[in-house]
Amino acid sequence: MSDDGERASDEGDAPRRNDSGRDDAPAADLRDLPAFSDGRNHSLPGEPEWPVREVAVEYDPGWFVGGPDRVEQPDGSEKKYYWAELSPATVVIAVADGDVLFVEQYRPTVRNTQLELPAGIVERGESYTAAGARELAEETGFAPSSTSLLQEVWCSTGVLRHTRGYVFAEGLEPVDVDHDSNEFLSPRAVPIEEALEVARDPPTNDATLEGLLLAEREGLL
């Protein structure tokens, strides 16, 4: 995919901008920029293969960071590549007694109700597996005795800087449910042999399908 939202890494020779918009000395790492040194957990890109001439942060509402990189392309021309950076997320494939645990919730962004795998943001200092165990307990009321990371991926790389870890969980025990204030969830158990077909019924989402397919590929479903 090649458009204005194509992901471009901006470590290395990326210059930082001050409040006046003037380019300062090159920042050796995005962590040098205020938006990425605020204590939040960030999905930071790797070293750029194409020179990054300028990094600008235009949006920082507190839960994501967004802006363009001005990148020198292989033909010598320059172009702005816009990105939105989100904290890493965990997605949990939890199995108990022949069932896969889902949560049903309304998504205002796409204006429909979806049956999804439990998921959430990885807090600072957490691993994907630790975050997965916490999110599973918070959303479904079950805590796992065992978790394993199946895969880490970059998501929607044409515009997002966002990593996602798929976690398999088992050995579930009931615990108290502790939803966030903006979570209105209904846990549902679906038989393993029906899980993929149920997840494919529209509306569905990429994280749920990818998580189930990975688990199936690993022989866990």
Side-chain angles (χ1 to χ4, degrees):
M1 176 177 176
S2 179
D3 57 29
D4 287 348
E6 185 70 47
R7 186 178 75 85
S9 299
D10 55 9
E11 290 187 341
D13 61 347
R16 85 181 92 190
R17 289 173 63 89
N18 62 17
D19 291 340
S20 68
R22 177 177 56 83
D23 290 347
D24 288 330
D29 196 302
L30 278 178
R31 295 173 184 84
D32 294 338
L33 301 177
F36 298 97
S37 59
D38 55 2
R40 289 177 291 183
N41 201 12
H42 292 283
S43 299
L44 297 176
E47 294 290 339
E49 295 183 21
W50 299 353
V52 178
R53 300 307 183 192
E54 178 185 7
V55 177
V57 173
E58 295 181 348
Y59 309 97
D60 188 4
W63 64 277
F64 81 95
V65 180
D69 288 353
R70 181 164 55 83
V71 176
E72 181 181 323
Q73 301 181 118
D75 63 0
S77 64
E78 293 187 355
K79 181 179 179 180
K80 284 186 176 181
Y81 285 79
Y82 278 83
W83 47 266
E85 184 272 333
L86 305 174
S87 295
T90 185
V91 179
V92 188
I93 308 97
V95 174
D97 299 325
D99 292 332
V100 178
L101 286 184
F102 286 78
V103 291
E104 190 172 53
Q105 61 181 322
Y106 177 69
R107 291 294 192 181
T109 49
V110 290
R111 301 179 183 177
N112 58 48
T113 298
Q114 297 190 325
L115 195 62
E116 306 174 347
L117 293 175
I121 294 300
V122 179
E123 303 292 345
R124 193 169 182 85
E126 281 187 322
S127 63
Y128 285 119
T129 51
R134 174 181 53 77
E135 288 289 346
L136 181 65
E138 291 175 357
E139 294 190 357
T140 71
F142 287 92
S145 63
S146 173
T147 56
S148 58
L149 179 63
L150 301 183
Q151 186 78 46
E152 179 187 37
V153 302
W154 284 95
C155 304
S156 301
T157 52
V159 66
L160 292 184
R161 290 176 179 167
H162 178 51
T163 57
R164 179 187 294 158
Y166 291 95
V167 173
F168 184 75
E170 54 188 341
L172 308 186
E173 295 292 338
V175 295
D176 291 335
V177 177
D178 183 22
H179 294 322
D180 289 338
S181 60
N182 65 333
E183 288 183 326
F184 302 91
L185 308 170
S186 299
R188 282 184 55 185
V190 176
I192 287 175
E193 60 271 16
E194 300 175 17
L196 266 172
E197 289 306 313
V198 169
R200 292 184 67 181
D201 286 341
T204 188
N205 67 75
D206 58 341
T208 295
L209 285 175
E210 288 171 2
L212 291 170
L213 288 170
L214 278 169
E216 183 184 54
R217 180 65 177 82
E218 294 294 324
L220 298 170
L221 297 182

